[in-house]
Amino acid sequence: LEFWIEMADYELVNNAVYIRSGLPQLIPAITNMLTQQASQEEELDEHPDKDISKMASICLKLVVDCVGDDVYDHLRPFIAVGSTDMTCWRRRDAAYMAFGCMLPGVTTPVASPLIELYLESASVSPSGPLRLRHSAIWLTSQIIEHHIEALSVLSFSSLLQVSMVALDDHNEVASMACFSLAKSSEIGPNTCQNFHVLKPVLAQQLKPATQKLLQVANRDGRNTDLVIAAYETVSTWMSCV
């Protein structure tokens, strides 16, 4: 992994010859490592360098940055099968991570089919291990941040609901849900062609979203990061609608 991370980092500013030619062998190796999560309930930020799946995600992000849309055909089967696998949390978590790593580096037309597939299985009821729940809401935030133009009014509303339900989860998951909601409220006419269609959705959700965020900021067991994230998200929502 260290070799490919360094190679991808180098080819970001050069021609991605080796990374692109190595995709048929490299992507299966990376996705296999993504399924080797250290445990299902460990603290998410503890010893990331000892978790091979986290190192694999770093490598994958760099690879996607190098080759862009060319990575899609190599990742699509893994994401399509794994993201709907309800029998193995490791495969589902790995698919969410792979999908989220891919989204910033590919165009919306390329990402749209997998986004539509994910929306069919996106749940407003968080379940499974902590890592899986965190990956799911992180993926939601990535879709909203990088490919909001792929969303209809219905799907945008659905992802907002997923994010608001996640506010009741573990502090780490709730903090990521705050990030997802903050990204939702940052859309504008200069960043989203269907802004005029989606803005009324934000206006409808303003009151329930801000109420929920304030509840989260004052709940028992909260930590400082969550309080800051909740109040910053409230401020973002109030200024956008």
Side-chain angles (χ1 to χ4, degrees), residues 57-194:
S57 69
I58 293 171
C59 184
L60 182 56
K61 288 178 184 178
L62 289 170
V63 168
V64 174
D65 287 342
C66 284
V67 303
D69 288 350
D70 289 347
V71 80
Y72 177 80
D73 287 340
H74 300 278
L75 274 177
R76 181 189 56 79
F78 179 80
I79 295 171
V81 174
S83 63
T84 57
D85 188 345
M86 302 298 174
T87 63
C88 178
W89 75 265
R90 291 183 184 275
R91 283 186 58 82
R92 195 174 177 196
D93 175 72
Y96 286 169
M97 291 301 298
F99 195 7
C101 289
M102 184 187 76
L103 288 174
V106 299
T107 58
T108 295
V110 167
S112 291
L114 282 176
I115 292 175
E116 293 175 5
L117 179 65
Y118 170 71
L119 290 171
E120 293 176 3
S121 61
S123 173
V124 298
S125 301
S127 60
L130 169 61
R131 293 175 66 108
L132 176 61
R133 304 196 308 271
H134 187 271
S135 295
I137 195 62
W138 173 71
L139 175 55
T140 295
S141 74
Q142 295 298 291
I143 293 172
I144 291 172
E145 180 177 7
H146 298 288
H147 298 285
I148 197 164
E149 291 186 359
L151 303 179
S152 65
V153 169
L154 182 61
S155 57
F156 184 49
S157 299
S158 175
L159 292 186
L160 288 179
Q161 289 299 315
V162 168
S163 299
M164 284 195 280
V165 169
L167 289 172
D168 292 326
D169 208 323
H170 185 281
N171 285 342
E172 298 281 359
V173 179
S175 292
M176 184 55 65
C178 289
F179 177 76
S180 178
L181 289 169
K183 288 301 176 183
S184 302
S185 66
E186 290 177 1
I187 62 172
N190 296 326
T191 59
C192 180
Q193 292 183 355
N194 53 348

